[in-house]
Every structure is written in C-alpha cells, then in structure tokens.
C-alpha cells in the first residue's frame, strides 16, 4: 500500500449513522430548550406590559392629586404627565404596548394594556380605597370594566 493510500484510510469522514445520532441528540435538546425559552420570553413580555401599566398609573395619580378627580384625564393629559407611555384613545382595544384609559370618571380609574405576548392587563384605582386592583385576561372584554379588573397578576 502506498503512503498516500494509508493517509486516506485514516482520514475517513463520519458515517451516516454517526451524523443521524448527532442530529437526534440536537433535536432532543432543541425540544427541551425551546419551550423553556418561549415561556421565559412570554413572561418577560408580560412583565414589561405590567411595568408600563404601573408607570401609566403614576401619571393618572399625578393628575388626580392636582385636580382631585380623574374626570378629564384623557390622552392629551396623560401624555403631558407621562410622555414615554404610548397612550390610546379611551374605550378602545389597545395595541401591543399601548395603554388605554378605559374609565376615568370621578374617583374611578381603569387602565388597560396588552403585552407583546397578547395577554391583556388592567389596573383599577378604587374610589373607596387606596388599594389598586389588578386583573388579566386573554381578550380585551375580559378586563375592560371595573368588576372584571380583579384576580391579580
């Protein structure tokens, strides 16, 4: 056997079975890791929306402390108080990352947002209490009234 033939026999590539085993192992690892990644991503998107909603509440509370009522708290007043929040016209389904002033009347306030994961969140400032109610749902209709804004996050 010539020296070049011996080198070629030592330099053989991977067999088809070896490649298939590696691909199988990578597939199993992907099946385990992908749901974990997607779940963490969805939770992060939800937390970002909740944080945005709490920031919006600060603007509403600032307006209330100046006027002693939520009446008149609309998009222009909200943008003046907290310009970094993407405010939406009252009573409409918010887009992803937007905050809707659902109810702003007297001592009652309901703010609604939708996270990038598609979950809706609401905050309600109760007239009879300094407590803030929180709620979540899969549709805008699940969180658009004071009675539905319960259950927490």
């Amino acid at each position: 056997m010539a020296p070049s033939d011996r080198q070629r026999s030592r330099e053989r590539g991977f067999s088809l079975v070896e490649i298939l085993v590696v691909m199988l192992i990578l597939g199993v690892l992907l099946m385990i890791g992908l749901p974990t990644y997607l779940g963490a991503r969805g939770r992060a998107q939800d937390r970002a929306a909740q944080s945005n909603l709490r920031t919006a509440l600060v603007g509403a509370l600032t307006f209330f402390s100046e006027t002693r009522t939520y009446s008149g708290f609309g998009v222009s007043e909200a943008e003046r108080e907290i310009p970094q929040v993407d405010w939406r016209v009252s009573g409409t389904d918010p887009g992803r990352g937007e905050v809707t002033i659902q109810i702003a009347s007297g001592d009652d306030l309901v703010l609604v947002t939708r996270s990038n994961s598609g979950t809706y969140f609401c905050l309600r400032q109760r007239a009879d209490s300094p407590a803030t109610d929180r709620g979540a749902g899969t549709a805008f209709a699940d969180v658009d009234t004071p009675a539905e804004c319960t259950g927490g996050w």
Side-chain angles (χ1 to χ4, degrees):
M1 202 186 262
S4 63
D5 290 338
R6 276 188 248 143
Q7 285 178 345
R8 280 191 198 125
S9 66
R10 281 187 256 146
E11 294 178 5
R12 43 175 272 247
F14 295 106
S15 72
L16 181 60
V17 172
E18 291 169 330
I19 292 173
L20 289 176
V21 168
V22 169
M23 289 178 60
L24 178 67
I25 291 170
L26 289 175
V28 168
L29 290 174
L30 187 63
M31 286 175 29
I32 292 170
L34 191 61
T36 303
Y37 167 74
L38 293 176
R41 183 177 173 199
R43 285 189 302 276
Q45 291 169 336
D46 290 348
R47 295 292 180 243
Q50 293 166 1
S51 177
N52 198 29
L53 202 53
R54 283 191 291 271
T55 301
L57 180 62
V58 170
L61 291 172
T62 303
F63 180 85
F64 184 82
S65 69
E66 295 168 355
T67 62
R68 306 306 301 158
T69 183
Y70 288 113
S71 297
F73 183 67
V75 172
S76 60
E77 293 77 19
E79 286 176 343
R80 196 172 27 249
E81 297 293 340
I82 307 286
Q84 64 268 27
V85 171
D86 190 8
W87 296 94
R88 177 83 177 214
V89 175
S90 300
T92 58
D93 187 341
R96 295 175 191 265
E98 297 177 330
V99 175
T100 293
I101 305 165
Q102 186 62 18
I103 297 172
S105 176
D107 291 341
D108 290 322
L109 174 75
V110 175
L111 301 174
V112 178
T113 191
R114 180 171 27 156
S115 77
N116 285 336
S117 71
T119 304
Y120 289 84
F121 296 97
C122 65
L123 276 178
R124 175 186 177 211
Q125 187 63 47
R126 296 174 46 178
D128 60 345
S129 168
T132 302
D133 291 335
R134 298 178 288 188
T138 56
F140 180 63
D142 295 341
V143 295
D144 64 341
T145 65
E148 295 168 335
C149 194
T150 58
W153 296 338

